[in-house]
């Protein structure tokens, strides 16, 4: 997990003329930026392009970074805007489970445990069906490990709205999973009935 104070120290070094320090910031955040964009529906190639563009834009705007915000949330906001501005959103593709649900160096919460348990391919697809405003909150919280305050800062909403959207997103996701499980059960029942019927022919 990225260290916010280390990020700020690196930003200061870059602004002081140490351009190589920016490479450390890129290495720290590039995989999670890519994973976030994939989770929002970008294809692998587009996500890679948007990630590169986001880091270029962040570099140009680095002097405008406010240290009271985390560098991660500031960077994620830039990346999401790059994707929106591109106007090339394609049909969402399934995202690798390990990119979607990761809780590195962090105690497992009930929410992340639930999501980790259900990442057999279904969650990735169902996430794409959630409205963007819910999906991004889930991704930022459980994939990118941002705090409620950081998410609120990035999304331009207050902490209570973050909690509310997170609750609604998880509720919707659980409902979709339950519906999916019900459909699978019906299909299995139908297959079993057909097999029994064929035995009596």
């Amino acid at each position: 997990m990225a260290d916010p104070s280390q990020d700020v120290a690196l930003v200061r070094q870059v602004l002081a003329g140490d351009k190589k320090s920016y490479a450390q910031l890129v290495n720290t955040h590039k995989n999670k930026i890519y994973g976030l964009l994939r989770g929002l529906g970008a294809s692998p190639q587009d996500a890679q392009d948007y990630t590169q563009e986001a880091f270029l834009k962040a570099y140009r705007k680095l002097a405008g970074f406010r240290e009271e915000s985390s560098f991660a949330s500031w960077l994620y906001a830039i990346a999401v805007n790059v994707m929106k501005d591109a106007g090339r959103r394609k049909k969402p593709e399934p995202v690798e489970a390990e990119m979607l649900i990761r809780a590195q160096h962090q105690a497992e919460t009930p929410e992340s445990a639930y999501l980790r348990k259900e990442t057999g391919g279904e969650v990735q697809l169902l996430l794409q069906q959630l409205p963007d405003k819910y999906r991004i909150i889930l991704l930022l919280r459980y994939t990118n490990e941002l705090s409620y305050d950081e998410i609120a800062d990035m999304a331009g909403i207050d902490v209570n709205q973050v909690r509310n959207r997170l609750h609604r997103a998880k509720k919707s996701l659980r409902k979709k999973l339950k519906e999916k499980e019900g459909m699978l059960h019906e299909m299995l029942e139908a297959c079993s009935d057909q097999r029994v019927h064929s035995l009596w022919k």
Side-chain angles (χ1 to χ4, degrees), residues 130-139 164-165 168-169:
L130 293 178
D132 281 352
K133 67 177 182 179
Y134 294 151
R135 183 157 28 117
I136 194 170
I137 298 297
L138 270 178
L139 290 168
N164 182 265
R165 289 187 186 183
R168 289 176 180 271

Side-chain angles (χ1 to χ4, degrees), residues 21-133:
S21 292
Y22 195 67
Q24 294 183 52
L25 288 168
V26 172
N27 288 332
T28 298
H29 296 283
K30 64 182 180 181
N31 288 339
K32 289 193 174 183
I33 291 292
Y34 175 87
L36 173 63
L37 295 172
R38 286 283 285 123
L40 291 174
S43 69
Q45 184 58 57
D46 282 345
Q48 187 174 355
D49 291 344
Y50 300 155
T51 298
Q52 292 176 354
E53 188 175 344
F55 278 111
L56 286 173
K57 284 197 170 186
Y59 183 79
R60 296 188 194 108
K61 297 179 177 181
L62 204 57
F65 167 63
R66 296 178 294 109
E67 292 187 5
E68 57 266 27
S69 301
S70 78
F71 179 77
S73 62
W74 182 74
L75 184 59
Y76 296 153
I78 291 174
V80 171
N81 285 331
V82 164
M83 182 171 173
K84 287 180 178 178
D85 292 343
R88 301 192 304 253
R89 297 189 67 171
K90 300 178 181 178
K91 183 177 180 180
E93 299 181 15
V95 188
E96 297 84 351
E98 64 269 19
M99 291 296 288
L100 267 180
I101 310 299
R102 236 195 262 170
Q104 297 171 330
H105 314 297
Q106 199 176 43
E108 184 123 297
T109 63
E111 292 85 1
S112 62
Y114 175 80
L115 289 175
R116 186 187 298 279
K117 178 184 175 185
E118 298 294 345
T119 52
E122 297 299 332
V123 168
Q124 296 94 317
L125 295 172
L126 296 176
L127 271 172
Q128 307 302 334
Q129 299 175 25
L130 293 178
D132 281 352
K133 67 177 182 179

